Amino acid sequence: MVVGFLCSTNLGAAQEFPSRPIKLVVPVAAGGAPDVVTRLISDKLTTSLKQPVVVENRPGAGTQLAASAAAKSPPDGYTLLLAPITTMAIGPSVFKSLPYDTQKDFAPVGLVGSAQFALVANPSLGAQTLPELIAVIKTRSGQMSYATSGASTPHHLFMEMFLKMIGATAQHVPYRGSAPALTDVIAGQVPMMVVDLAVALPQIRAGKVKAYGVTTATRVKAAPEIPTIAEAGLPGYAANGWFSVVVRAGTPAPIVDRLNAVLMAYLKRDDVRDKLDAHAIEPLTSTPAEMEKFLAAEIVKWAKVVRDAGIEPQ
């Protein structure tokens, strides 16, 4: 009898959902690949669910500020979190303690995209090829610095993987987002970084920064002229990031399923995939169950990367 009551309550909540505006919390500053994904998702949800979707950028603390807010929200589907690999898979290994458990405190809605990254540097370094850049870094090992969009982000981990593979070190300079970090690389305040192509492509093509390779195993549709880092001179290097949408654990399954159905149908459209490809973002789709399994494997994978890179938990 109790089970029947709970099921009917959840079904009723799903049928009424949404009856007021929805909040989409984004754990990074405006700008970059998250912005592209956020705009598409929020616009589609607003149209399909007939309620405004209010985007709230809450950068800081390695995405912990936004994730903490989402983890403390009511389990009713009215607070969504655009959750990147940083929040869901890297954070548990990089931080000694988190104010939430990424597997227990969130319910997956689905994977939505995979951002593409590139290693770039200020042209004043004078390195024309990746082997030349590697030589400069090794010669000045420990003396150079690199920018990131924040601690424990893909920008941070991907660069540490690169440095580990070439046998060098560099000083980490975290920013509150990719755009301000890249601005300082262009200005010469920091010499290099791994950056999402959604932010860097215009600057690369304008010659304001030099791209040495994309981090992915294959070339990127949006910039086929840029080789992979492995092709350019560091065989075996490959790294990629991803975005997902999650809600607070305990959100009724019918609400989660409705959100998933709207987003996945949208992301499978050719015109949407073309928009994402143009911004160096590979569209991804999944069911909530598929994402849950994927996340468990990613947490194990990135824990090993963190250990191998010698990154001490903060």
Side-chain angles (χ1 to χ4, degrees), residues 284-303:
L284 296 178
T285 58
S286 77
T287 65
E290 288 169 344
M291 182 186 155
E292 186 173 15
K293 183 177 180 180
F294 172 82
L295 175 59
E298 283 286 286
I299 289 173
V300 173
K301 170 186 171 181
W302 285 99

Side-chain angles (χ1 to χ4, degrees), residues 114-206:
S114 175
Q116 317 297 322
F117 295 80
L119 173 62
V120 302
N122 187 287
S124 65
L125 282 181
Q128 298 304 309
T129 65
L130 182 63
E132 289 180 15
L133 177 65
I134 290 172
V136 170
I137 295 171
K138 293 179 75 170
T139 299
R140 298 164 58 186
S141 183
Q143 301 173 31
M144 292 180 66
S145 60
Y146 68 92
T148 73
S149 65
S152 86
T153 59
H155 313 69
H156 180 197
L157 267 288
F158 295 179
M159 191 68 187
E160 285 294 331
M161 288 171 60
F162 175 80
L163 292 168
K164 179 73 173 180
M165 288 182 70
I166 68 172
T169 61
Q171 298 174 30
H172 176 211
V173 182
Y175 287 75
R176 291 169 69 92
S178 297
L182 183 62
T183 296
D184 271 10
V185 172
I186 292 170
Q189 299 297 318
V190 185
M192 59 186 175
M193 73 179 295
V194 169
V195 62
D196 31 342
L197 277 173
V199 172
L201 263 180
Q203 310 304 333
I204 292 171
R205 287 173 174 159

Side-chain angles (χ1 to χ4, degrees), residues 95-107:
F95 298 105
K96 291 180 181 178
S97 63
L98 289 170
Y100 49 81
D101 185 302
T102 58
Q103 291 177 289
K104 294 179 180 178
D105 292 334
F106 297 110

